[in-house]
Amino acid sequence: MSVRDLADYPWDAVVPFRDRAAQHPGGLVDLSVGSPVDPTPEIIRRALAEATDAHAYPQTLGTPSLREAIVAWYARRRGVPDLTVDNVLPTIGSKELVALLPTLLGLGAGDIVVHPRVAYPTYEVGARVVGAEPVAADDPAEWPEGAKLIWINTPGNPDGRTWTVDELAAAVRRARELGAVLASDECYAELGWDGPWATEPIPSILDPRVTGGRRSNLLSVYSLSKQSNLAGYRAAFVAGCAHIVGDLLTARKHLGLMPPAPVQHAMARALGDDEHVAVQKELYRERRDALRPALEAAGFRIDGSEAGLYLWATEGRDAWESMGRLADLGILAGPGPFYGTASGQHVRLALTAATDRVLEAARRLNEGKL
């Protein structure tokens, strides 16, 4: 397969609903895409400015200060105290790593890449680019023989599904039976809301309670886009098995995949400061606390969504019909079918719009009739 064989970019199908929502007298409330709108924290912007004399090529493996900051962050925030700098590697955002991981692992025709049934579509795209077979399966018992790479997403995008320590441990056992690389996309792990995640940290695939002290063939992928408003910086990293991280480093050196030096400096500063993350989480909480009950009052059921940046909502009808009914209130959502065939009756609403616009959406839902 070549990139010419990929399907058209699906968000083009949303344009008519955007146009319809924009006709609302109060204007469009765009809750379709999880792109941050809040300011990048000053502490991070200052760090970026400090590093603008970037005349030399940046280090693909990351500066020593960045790698040490990633290691310290995993120990402090994710309950993973036993990493070293050899276990971590910065990336140019997380999407490029997700898309390129099958390529960088040397997968190809005849190989199987497993991904969640309700999932960010780039897991499947990465498999198709190398000619591998994508298989959607959530239950580790259903992961097929021959799987070479298995993706899990916790907390999930779009549905907020979050794996417990016991569930992660079972996933690790099954991946080891298969001899597969198990990659956990954990980009929303600081955003726990309901159930145990209201008070407990969300566990990582690298948690010693999960790994039993062995990180072989395990990877954790993380991004600073949402918790630090760094989507435009393309600031992310991967951590885990030192052998795989070393192989990824070698390939990325040849390919020139290196985060810019000023971004690396800013990432290190961001990872060392927990206060701005807590402030941002409270903004998301305020929006979520307004939007969720308004959706429920308007006849939607919220499924999952115990963590992450989205509300995964359904009226029990076709998603495109719900998209139209929301558009008539000037609200643009993300259609569930973009996230797999199991999502035909769901829409995704992001918490990243400005607070006043989210409150306006809640007001319209409370006052309008779908």
Side-chain angles (χ1 to χ4, degrees):
M1 175 178 178
S2 75
V3 293
R4 293 179 181 176
D5 299 314
L6 292 175
D8 292 337
Y9 194 58
W11 283 94
D12 293 343
V14 175
V15 172
F17 296 91
R18 175 185 293 276
D19 292 343
R20 183 169 164 183
Q23 299 303 310
H24 191 278
L28 169 69
V29 179
D30 188 351
L31 306 180
S32 65
V33 181
S35 184
V37 300
D38 300 308
T40 299
E42 180 63 24
I43 187 174
I44 302 173
R45 287 187 285 167
R46 285 201 305 269
L48 186 76
E50 292 167 4
T52 53
D53 182 17
H55 47 272
Y57 287 109
Q59 298 180 59
T60 305
L61 80 167
T63 63
S65 61
L66 174 54
R67 296 162 77 203
E68 290 164 3
I70 296 171
V71 168
W73 181 83
Y74 267 100
R76 189 177 72 253
R77 302 297 302 177
R78 304 306 316 281
V80 183
D82 54 350
L83 298 181
T84 73
V85 294
D86 293 330
N87 299 114
V88 302
L89 183 66
T91 63
I92 310 168
S94 58
K95 184 172 183 177
E96 62 94 341
L97 180 73
V98 171
L100 288 177
L101 190 58
T103 300
L104 298 177
L105 293 176
L107 303 190
D111 292 327
I112 294 173
V113 176
V114 178
H115 60 79
R117 292 178 69 242
V118 177
Y120 183 56
T122 308
Y123 308 125
E124 179 178 347
V125 169
R128 293 196 180 281
V129 164
V130 298
E133 178 186 356
V135 172
D138 293 327
D139 185 347
E142 298 176 356
W143 293 346
E145 297 290 335
K148 295 295 181 66
L149 171 62
I150 299 167
W151 281 106
I152 63 174
N153 182 199
T154 174
N157 171 14
D159 61 352
R161 179 191 177 187
T162 304
W163 294 55
T164 66
V165 167
D166 289 345
E167 289 170 334
L168 289 171
V172 169
R173 288 193 296 270
R174 177 58 175 162
R176 286 173 175 164
E177 290 174 359
L178 297 171
V181 173
L182 179 58
S184 179
D185 181 346
E186 302 176 349
C187 293
Y188 302 97
E190 292 275 15
L191 301 175
W193 308 114
D194 296 334
W197 319 124
T199 55
E200 298 176 17
I202 291 171
S204 171
I205 197 70
L206 302 179
D207 189 309
R209 296 172 296 172
V210 172
T211 67
R214 294 173 51 221
R215 284 185 298 270
S216 58
N217 280 9
L218 301 180
L219 295 175
S220 164
V221 179
Y222 205 80
S223 167
L224 299 183
S225 292
K226 307 306 192 294
Q227 72 181 47
S228 299
N229 294 325
L230 295 186
Y233 284 48
R234 310 312 300 132
F237 46 88
V238 61
C241 175
H243 294 296
I244 296 178
V245 168
D247 289 344
L248 295 178
L249 172 60
T250 298
R252 295 173 73 85
K253 285 179 177 178
H254 284 291
L255 295 171
L257 296 172
M258 55 187 79
V263 171
Q264 294 194 37
H265 185 67
M267 287 175 65
R269 189 71 56 83
L271 287 164
D273 180 72
D274 296 335
E275 181 179 356
H276 79 273
V277 179
V279 169
Q280 186 60 47
K281 182 176 181 179
E282 288 309 305
L283 284 176
Y284 291 143
R285 187 191 304 278
E286 179 183 357
R287 296 164 188 169
R288 186 178 186 274
D289 287 349
L291 187 59
R292 177 168 187 156
L295 285 165
E296 292 172 331
F300 283 88
R301 184 184 74 238
I302 307 301
D303 290 338
S305 307
E306 67 263 25
L309 199 57
Y310 309 101
L311 292 172
W312 189 230
T314 180
E315 296 181 276
R317 66 176 74 237
D318 183 83
W320 293 106
E321 187 175 347
S322 293
M323 288 284 294
R325 287 153 67 85
L326 287 167
D328 288 339
L329 293 179
I331 299 169
L332 185 66
F338 286 5
Y339 304 96
T341 57
S343 307
Q345 293 188 338
H346 282 78
V347 293
R348 190 193 77 170
L349 297 105
L351 304 176
T352 48
T355 300
D356 64 329
R357 299 309 289 164
V358 175
L359 295 177
E360 171 63 12
R363 184 192 67 77
R364 294 179 192 178
L365 287 162
N366 283 320
E367 296 181 359
K369 291 184 179 180
L370 289 179

